[in-house]
Amino acid sequence: MSEYKKAGVDIDGALDSVEKVKRIAASTYGPGVLSGVGGFSGLFHPGVFSFEDMVLAAGADGVGTKVKISQAMGKHDTVGIDLVAMNVDDVVTSGARPLFFLDYIAVGKLDKGVIEDLVSGVAEGCKMAGCALLGGETAQMSDIYAEGEYDLAGFCVGAVEKTGIIDGSRINAGDILVGLASSGLHSNGYSLARKVLLADAGFGLDQYMPDLGRTLGEELLEPTRIYAKSMVELIDLVDVKGIAHVTGGGLLGNLSRILPRGLKAVLSLDWPVPPVFEIIRKAGRISRQEMLRVFNMGIGMAFVLDPDLVGRAIEVLMNMGIDPYIAGEVVRDD
């Protein structure tokens, strides 16, 4: 055994894993990819897309303590989808089309099966988003992560026509807020959810929850819904003035990032809320205001547009198989 392996880093195992990861990543390649996983850098040629005055959009994010659920359940093939979602759905809020994605996986001890599951999830997310998994890094750090532990981070680059940038600056009082249904918790609020459900209430991840129709662990590992591809199609057809990805901070907190000064959003609060949120609220005796501040409460992405265009936007989204809801209105903040 090499001295480096004794110190906790398996070079040979890592090289073998890279070969399998290369094959997984290749399944996401499309126009623009000149070289991907395996080199010192991935190469992407944006010229294959027809931009007259291209602007790049970039984002970086992780999945937080949701990884504690995947590790506890020994199921590692879905959090990669979450990782992609958290990034591509940030990037698309500017009107950008996601082009490529890179991941960073830090582990305590290399387990090739786990790495392949994680990257398979990332690749699946990239396919859902319509972008390429261009590269990444797996770091073995046994002094930082215990055996069986890992963390994930991701980075997405997209492109948008300069004249097509969406930044919320055109939003006016009277505009309508449309929300897109979430698949559950997505990837935020897990520190609170884990404390309330597992530590305080004493529920088990393998416990069947009648209100959920499945085990708690299955609910908590439900992947984050990816809206990017659908939103790219929508903004080609409908004039969208502002887009908010609803992550930490809830719907109001994230909407405040795109509303011009002097405006605020008034929520309708009448969309269907997935039952997991009520379970958390009751178990933790959490106020509804705090729930709205921490969780997405059933709306994973929201956008603002002129009232005359709401019907058209809803029609387009429903034809894509997405559930849209009129979630509120923009008013003056006097």
Side-chain angles (χ1 to χ4, degrees), residues 21-285:
V21 165
K22 286 167 71 173
R23 292 194 291 272
I24 295 170
S27 68
T28 71
Y29 294 168
V33 177
L34 301 182
S35 70
V37 175
F40 288 104
S41 66
L43 298 176
F44 191 93
H45 183 22
V48 299
F49 301 98
S50 55
F51 290 99
E52 292 184 8
D53 191 4
M54 182 177 64
V55 174
L56 296 180
D61 208 341
V63 298
T65 60
K66 190 168 186 173
V67 296
K68 301 291 285 185
I69 305 298
S70 60
Q71 291 160 16
M73 294 184 66
K75 181 173 174 56
H76 314 285
D77 59 350
T78 59
V79 286
I81 298 175
D82 293 291
L83 183 64
V84 174
M86 298 304 287
N87 285 274
V88 296
D89 285 341
D90 274 355
V91 165
V92 80
T93 61
S94 63
R97 169 182 181 160
L99 298 179
F100 59 85
F101 185 85
L102 301 100
D103 61 18
Y104 172 79
I105 303 172
V107 301
K109 182 178 179 180
L110 183 70
D111 183 320
K112 289 181 283 186
V114 171
I115 297 299
E116 290 163 25
D117 281 351
L118 291 171
V119 177
S120 292
V122 173
E124 182 63 24
C126 287
K127 292 175 188 176
M128 293 177 180
C131 65
L133 175 54
L134 196 63
E137 165 72 354
T138 300
Q140 301 176 61
M141 297 186 288
S142 58
D143 289 344
I144 296 178
Y145 299 95
E147 186 170 348
E149 290 185 347
Y150 54 78
D151 197 12
L152 308 173
F155 314 87
C156 178
V157 173
V160 59
E161 195 72 61
K162 188 175 182 181
T163 56
I165 292 173
I166 298 173
D167 60 7
S169 61
R170 297 186 295 116
I171 295 175
N172 298 307
D175 285 342
I176 301 299
L177 175 68
V178 176
L180 304 184
S182 72
S183 57
L185 290 179
H186 283 186
S187 297
N188 62 280
Y190 271 77
S191 293
L192 178 57
R194 287 171 47 245
K195 177 184 181 298
V196 167
L197 298 175
L198 305 180
D200 296 346
F203 294 130
L205 292 174
D206 60 351
Q207 182 172 339
Y208 181 81
M209 309 290 282
D211 289 347
L212 301 175
R214 54 182 171 177
T215 68
L216 179 60
E218 289 171 334
E219 176 70 28
L220 295 181
L221 273 192
E222 179 68 32
T224 304
R225 183 160 288 165
I226 293 178
Y227 304 98
K229 202 169 187 179
S230 299
M231 288 302 299
V232 167
E233 294 181 24
L234 177 69
I235 60 183
D236 278 343
L237 300 172
V238 180
D239 182 22
V240 173
K241 295 181 177 181
I243 307 172
H245 184 199
V246 185
T247 55
L251 185 52
L252 283 175
N254 285 284
L255 278 172
S256 67
R257 300 165 66 177
I258 66 167
L259 293 178
R261 186 183 298 274
L263 298 177
K264 66 179 180 180
V266 176
L267 303 182
S268 64
L269 298 177
D270 60 358
W271 58 83
V273 178
V276 64
F277 295 108
E278 185 63 9
I279 292 173
I280 293 171
R281 189 189 70 79
K282 287 183 176 179
R285 298 180 180 178

Side-chain angles (χ1 to χ4, degrees), residues 291-312:
M291 291 293 294
L292 282 166
R293 198 170 71 90
V294 175
F295 300 106
N296 68 62
M297 296 301 288
I299 299 293
M301 179 162 278
F303 60 91
V304 180
L305 73 174
D306 188 275
D308 294 341
L309 298 176
V310 171
R312 173 61 174 153

Side-chain angles (χ1 to χ4, degrees), residues 2-21:
S2 73
E3 293 302 315
Y4 206 14
K5 190 169 184 179
K6 290 178 184 177
V9 179
D10 182 0
I11 294 178
D12 292 333
L15 291 173
D16 182 54
S17 183
V18 166
E19 291 305 312
K20 294 179 180 178
V21 165

